[in-house]
Amino acid sequence: MEDKGLVSGETVVQTTRPNKRVFSLTEAGLEELRQFIGEPSDRMALKDDLLVKITAVDTADHDAALADIERRRESAVDQLARYEDDVERMLRGRDEETFVRTARRIGPYLTLLRGIALEQENISWCDTAMRLVAARRGRSTAKRGRTA
């Protein structure tokens, strides 16, 4: 993007960490961003190895599937806590109404809210999936060549 003139970068020398590059939008970059925002967005694509595994759960070891779902749930719980901490830091004691009225930008806040909602749903789905897979533990219903 720097080569295209959309951002300009500056090296910041740090004494306790490696130097870093800080980027700023150029006027051309800001115009490109405005055009991008004005375009319709595609529907969110969901590509997830766990869902592929779960589609075929009845052909496999239910305990292994349960362990994989539990790992995903733990990851979602951890990510949810990070997002919620980020929101608290962003709000700095303000309620949402005050924040929205006084903040310079609300886009990052809206993005965090989306992440929170996704992780909450991931946790809920994992709970349901674990309950249902556990109920079928040891039972295989798949027949060779049959998909449903």
Side-chain angles (χ1 to χ4, degrees):
M1 290 188 346
E2 193 171 13
D3 292 344
K4 294 180 180 179
L6 302 177
V7 297
S8 62
E10 176 184 340
T11 301
V12 175
V13 178
Q14 302 184 111
T15 56
T16 59
R17 296 181 179 179
N19 295 344
K20 67 180 178 179
R21 296 270 293 160
V22 177
F23 294 92
S24 300
L25 279 174
T26 63
E27 284 301 317
L30 186 57
E31 181 56 35
E32 184 80 17
L33 180 60
R34 286 181 181 133
Q35 287 178 14
F36 173 72
I37 290 170
E39 296 171 1
S41 298
D42 291 334
R43 182 170 165 76
M44 183 172 57
L46 183 59
K47 297 179 182 180
D48 187 339
D49 288 349
L50 180 58
L51 291 180
V52 174
K53 292 176 183 182
I54 295 305
T55 298
V57 73
D58 290 302
T59 66
D61 177 0
H62 289 113
D63 290 332
L66 286 166
D68 208 5
I69 298 167
E70 179 60 32
R71 281 189 295 275
R72 178 64 60 87
R73 187 185 191 288
E74 289 170 5
S75 175
V77 167
D78 291 345
Q79 186 62 53
L80 177 59
R82 286 190 292 275
Y83 287 156
E84 289 173 338
D85 288 346
D86 289 346
V87 165
E88 288 303 313
R89 277 193 296 281
M90 190 175 285
L91 293 178
R92 293 191 320 250
R94 297 173 284 184
D95 61 27
E96 183 177 76
E97 182 182 331
T98 302
F99 173 78
V100 169
R101 193 177 62 251
T102 61
R104 188 173 67 83
R105 298 175 55 219
I106 65 164
Y109 177 71
L110 292 170
T111 302
L112 279 171
L113 292 182
R114 181 63 178 138
I116 286 170
L118 284 170
E119 295 307 339
Q120 289 170 335
E121 174 54 28
N122 284 335
I123 292 165
S124 177
W125 178 85
C126 287
D127 290 343
T128 300
M130 287 188 299
R131 178 177 53 80
L132 297 177
V133 170
R136 293 180 64 91
R137 184 180 276 137
R139 184 174 157 196
S140 178
T141 60
K143 303 253 190 264
R144 187 179 291 267
R146 210 170 149 200
T147 59

